[in-house]
Amino acid sequence: MNEAKKLRGWSLRDAAEAGQLLEVTCQFCRRTYRFFPRDLLQLTTNVSLDRLAGRFHCERCNRGDYMNLKVVQIWGSEIGKLTVRRLVRISTVKKPIWEDGVL
């Protein structure tokens, strides 16, 4: 089955309940990032994984068009060996928006 069709029927909450990881790989510079779905649920709503794949950008090459997302099941032998990104905190940036008006 096509990988995009598999991701279309699976959401962030489904992956979190199944205890899976999301593995995002940049096909341009071969950098791999792994995320817990519960951390991503704090940043966005419960969307299907095919829609989520377009939101990632590589931190090394800053490209978003070469990103590939796949769902990975964690096995017991991988615990303690995989590098996983964890959400530490969310900081909000206050940015003033000005509008010119007539007095």
Side-chain angles (χ1 to χ4, degrees):
M1 181 182 262
N2 189 356
E3 191 70 28
K5 287 185 180 180
K6 287 181 187 178
L7 294 178
R8 191 176 304 139
W10 203 242
S11 67
L12 268 175
R13 184 157 294 131
D14 294 335
E17 290 173 357
Q20 297 173 331
L21 285 177
L22 300 180
E23 188 173 81
V24 182
T25 304
C26 177
Q27 300 296 324
F28 189 75
C29 67
R30 303 285 189 229
R31 180 88 181 221
T32 300
Y33 306 99
R34 291 178 194 91
F35 300 94
F36 284 108
R38 291 218 188 274
D39 291 343
L40 295 176
L41 275 171
Q42 294 179 19
L43 300 174
T44 185
T45 60
N46 187 25
V47 296
S48 64
L49 296 181
D50 65 331
R51 299 186 85 197
L52 184 70
R55 297 183 184 179
F56 286 102
H57 289 276
C58 182
E59 289 185 4
R60 182 185 287 173
C61 64
N62 200 22
R63 300 195 64 145
D65 50 347
Y66 286 93
M67 300 304 278
N68 183 22
L69 177 101
K70 70 179 184 178
V71 181
V72 177
Q73 184 66 42
I74 305 170
W75 298 101
S77 62
E78 296 172 334
I79 294 177
K81 297 178 184 175
L82 287 178
T83 304
V84 180
R85 291 192 145 195
R86 298 299 312 245
L87 182 64
V88 177
R89 70 175 189 270
I90 300 170
S91 63
T92 305
V93 177
K94 290 186 178 182
K95 179 180 172 185
I97 300 172
W98 300 96
E99 182 179 281
D100 292 333
V102 178
L103 182 66

